[in-house]
Amino acid sequence: MQKRTKERILDLLADLAGGLFYALGIYTFAKTAHFAPGGLSGLALIMNHLWGLPIGIMTLVLNVPVILLSYRLLGKRFLLKSLCSMIFCTVWVDFILPLTPPYTGSPLLASLYSGVCLGLGLGLLYMRGSSSGGTDFLTVSIKAIRPHVSLGVATLIIDLVIILLGWPVFGDIDSVLYGILATAATSIMIDKVMYGVSAGKLMIIITSHGQAIAGNISAASGRGSTLIRAIGTYTDEERQVLLCACTKSQAFQIRAAIAEVDPDAFVMVTETNEVYGEGFIEGEKIL
C-alpha cells in the first residue's frame, strides 16, 4: 500500500512538473514567437493562430481519434496515465500560463527555450510511463503494426509535415527553421533527462596485452574492465578484448593508459545511453 501511494505521488509530481514545462514550451515561447514545433500540440498552435482556438483543449480534441485508433495496441494503463498527463498539460496551457507574461524577446532564443522546456517536460512524463499523447501514440502504433519501420523516421516525417504547415500559416520561412530547431532541442533534452545521469562511454580494446592494460586502466582511473578471449579472423591469432565502461571525463585517461602498455591496440569508443552497475557514478569497480 505504501509503495502504491508513493508511486501515485511521484506520478502526480511528474504530471505537475512535466505539464508546467510542456506548457512553458508551447505557450510562453512557441506561441509568441510564431512557430509550430512538431506533434499535435504544434498543430493545435497553428489552429490557435488561425482561429483563436484554445491550444490545450484542441490538443486534447486532436488526441481523441488517435487514442481510439491506438487503444488496443498501447494498452489501457498507458493510455489512462497519458490522458491524466494531457489534462494537466491542458490546464497549464489554457488556464494558468495565460495569467503570466509571455516571452517577447528573440525568436531564436524562444525556439531554443521552447525545445528545452518541451524536452524536460516530456522526459519527466516518459520516465513515469506516461506521455503527452499526440504523435507518440501514432509512432508507437505504427511500430506495432510495421515493426520494420524506424520510430525515428516515422516521428521525423510526422513532425516535419506539421512544422512545414507553419510556413504558409505564419507567412515566414523562419517559422519552419525555428520549429526544426525547437524539435531538435526537444529530442536532445529528452535524452539528457532520461539518460544523462547514467550516460557514459564504452571502450572496446583489442590487444595482446589484456591483463597489463586492465591493470593500467585500474591504476589510472579506478575503473575495472572485462576481458574476453577472441581469435582474429584475419591473422588467425589469439587476441584479447577488453570492455570498459567509464564516464566521459575518464575516457582520455583510459586512452592514455592503453597507449602506455600497447600503442598498437585497436580501440573503439562508443556512446552508452545508460550504464548500470555498482560504482559507475562513484568510481568503484564496475565489471
Side-chain angles (χ1 to χ4, degrees), residues 25 122 169 263:
L122 292 174
V169 170

Side-chain angles (χ1 to χ4, degrees), residues 40 70 82 88 175 202 237 245 275:
L40 292 186
S70 56
S82 296
F88 274 94
S175 64
L202 174 64
E237 295 178 355
V275 181

Side-chain angles (χ1 to χ4, degrees), residues 43-192:
L43 190 57
L45 200 152
I46 288 175
M47 297 171 72
N48 172 267
H49 183 81
L50 290 174
W51 304 301
L53 298 172
I55 300 170
I57 292 175
M58 287 312 303
T59 302
L60 270 178
V61 171
L62 291 171
N63 269 294
V64 171
V66 179
I67 291 173
L68 293 176
L69 287 172
S70 56
Y71 179 81
R72 292 185 178 180
L73 294 171
L74 301 180
K76 181 179 178 180
R77 176 178 170 79
F78 175 70
L79 287 174
L80 287 177
K81 290 188 73 171
S82 296
L83 181 59
C84 183
S85 299
M86 284 186 276
I87 291 172
F88 274 94
C89 291
T90 299
V91 171
W92 279 112
V93 172
D94 287 345
F95 301 103
I96 298 179
L97 284 191
L99 302 176
T100 65
Y103 177 78
T104 56
S106 165
L108 178 62
L109 288 177
S111 65
L112 287 172
Y113 285 124
S114 174
V116 169
C117 289
L118 284 171
L120 184 54
L122 292 174
L124 290 172
L125 296 179
Y126 293 162
M127 289 175 70
R128 297 304 304 167
S130 182
S131 79
S132 64
T135 53
D136 295 338
F137 291 169
L138 286 176
T139 52
V140 174
S141 299
I142 291 170
K143 186 67 174 178
I145 298 171
R146 299 278 187 241
H148 63 281
V149 175
S150 167
L151 278 178
V153 171
T155 303
L156 178 63
I157 292 173
I158 296 171
D159 285 347
L160 190 58
V161 169
I162 294 172
I163 291 171
L164 287 173
L165 286 175
W167 190 350
V169 170
F170 297 111
D172 190 353
I173 184 62
D174 284 348
S175 64
V176 175
L177 301 179
Y178 293 144
I180 292 173
L181 182 60
T183 301
T186 299
S187 178
I188 293 171
M189 195 63 192
I190 289 173
D191 285 345
K192 292 298 182 183

